[in-house]
């Protein structure tokens, strides 16, 4: 019996070295696991970058992927999480036809109902922005798409922080420092 696939989020911390992203993504490729979203940015720790990667997998496979990533020489720490262990956000951007938005007040009501914001209006298009979890971002897209007013749509990769008070990598680095 195969394990059920779930969406996992990996938080990977590494030194800011060219080529490390390729090494990390190659681990997923070798195991034939598709990356759903990827976000890379500086972390709260000087000279350490944070990779937030989401992928559908079973736990056995995600454990192996996490261990392989952690073996990379420039990776400081890697952990995997389920959604309930993290505070998660992403952003959706929707470019809508100004003519259609002005011609149908229901479109503006949908934007308000989803607590999205209109960030730009010009004669050609209206830009709507929504912050939230993946399901909210996609639901707003589907609701707007029913009106046929969406000219363009994109959503960011996931950003996430653990529910603990500090990054787990901070504890790891403190312990490593004490052992040296």
């Amino acid at each position: 019996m195969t394990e059920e696939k779930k969406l996992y989020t990996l938080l990977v911390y590494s030194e800011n070295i060219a080529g490390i992203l390729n090494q990390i993504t190659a681990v997923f490729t070798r195991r034939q696991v598709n990356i759903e979203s990827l976000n890379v940015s500086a972390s709260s720790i000087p000279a350490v970058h944070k990779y937030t990667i989401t992928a559908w997998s079973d736990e056995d496979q995600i454990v192996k992927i996490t261990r392989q990533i952690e073996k990379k020489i420039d990776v400081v720490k890697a952990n995997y999480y389920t959604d309930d262990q993290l505070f998660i956000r992403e952003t959706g951007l929707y470019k809508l036809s100004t003519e259609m938005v002005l011609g149908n007040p229901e479109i503006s009501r949908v934007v308000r109902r989803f607590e999205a914001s209109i960030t730009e209006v010009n004669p050609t298009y209206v830009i709507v922005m929504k912050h939230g979890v993946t399901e909210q971002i996609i639901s707003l897209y589907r609701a707007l798409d029913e009106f046929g007013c969406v000219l363009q749509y994109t959503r960011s990769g996931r950003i996430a922080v653990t529910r603990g008070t500090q990054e787990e990598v901070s504890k790891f680095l403190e312990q490593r420092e004490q052992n040296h």
Side-chain angles (χ1 to χ4, degrees):
M1 187 175 123
T2 59
E3 265 188 274
E4 187 181 324
K5 290 191 176 199
K6 289 195 295 194
L7 185 65
Y8 287 95
T9 300
L10 279 77
L11 299 182
V12 180
Y13 299 87
S14 79
E15 297 178 40
N16 188 14
I17 307 289
I20 190 71
L21 177 59
N22 189 40
Q23 292 178 45
I24 290 169
T25 58
V27 173
F28 287 89
T29 304
R30 278 195 301 279
R31 294 204 170 261
Q32 297 182 338
V33 173
N34 198 32
I35 292 174
E36 189 74 20
S37 76
L38 171 67
N39 183 292
V40 182
S41 65
S43 73
S44 58
I45 301 152
V48 174
H49 271 57
K50 180 178 184 177
Y51 300 73
T52 306
I53 306 165
T54 60
W56 289 94
S57 182
D58 58 60
E59 189 169 16
D60 183 52
Q61 180 87 297
I62 213 73
V63 166
K64 290 174 183 167
I65 288 170
T66 304
R67 283 188 190 139
Q68 278 190 296
I69 290 171
E70 207 163 36
K71 286 180 185 173
K72 303 292 176 198
I73 192 130
D74 297 316
V75 170
V76 177
K77 189 82 178 126
N79 289 94
Y80 69 93
Y81 302 90
T82 54
D83 285 2
D84 60 327
Q85 297 172 302
L86 299 169
F87 180 82
I88 299 161
R89 284 294 176 268
E90 39 184 89
T91 298
L93 284 177
Y94 315 80
K95 183 189 271 186
L96 312 179
S97 159
T98 300
E99 182 183 350
M100 294 182 86
V101 171
L102 293 176
N104 187 346
E106 188 57 33
I107 295 171
S108 295
R109 282 194 272 281
V110 166
V111 169
R112 283 193 303 278
R113 189 170 68 242
F114 277 86
E115 298 176 348
S117 56
I118 294 173
T119 60
E120 184 179 334
V121 178
N122 68 41
T124 311
Y125 59 82
V126 173
I127 300 291
V128 173
M129 186 167 28
K130 167 79 180 140
H131 304 292
V133 295
T134 310
E135 296 77 27
Q136 295 168 339
I137 306 292
I138 294 170
S139 292
L140 175 56
Y141 168 72
R142 288 184 181 136
L144 292 170
D145 196 44
E146 285 182 21
F147 294 104
C149 65
V150 180
L151 302 173
Q152 290 181 40
Y153 159 71
T154 190
R155 62 185 172 93
S156 69
R158 173 178 282 194
I159 57 171
V161 292
T162 61
R163 297 244 176 225
T165 55
Q166 67 178 20
E167 307 237 30
E168 287 190 23
V169 72
S170 300
K171 294 179 221 165
F172 173 79
L173 290 171
E174 286 170 14
Q175 288 170 347
R176 192 170 80 174
E177 196 66 31
Q178 289 169 357
N179 294 338
H180 279 81

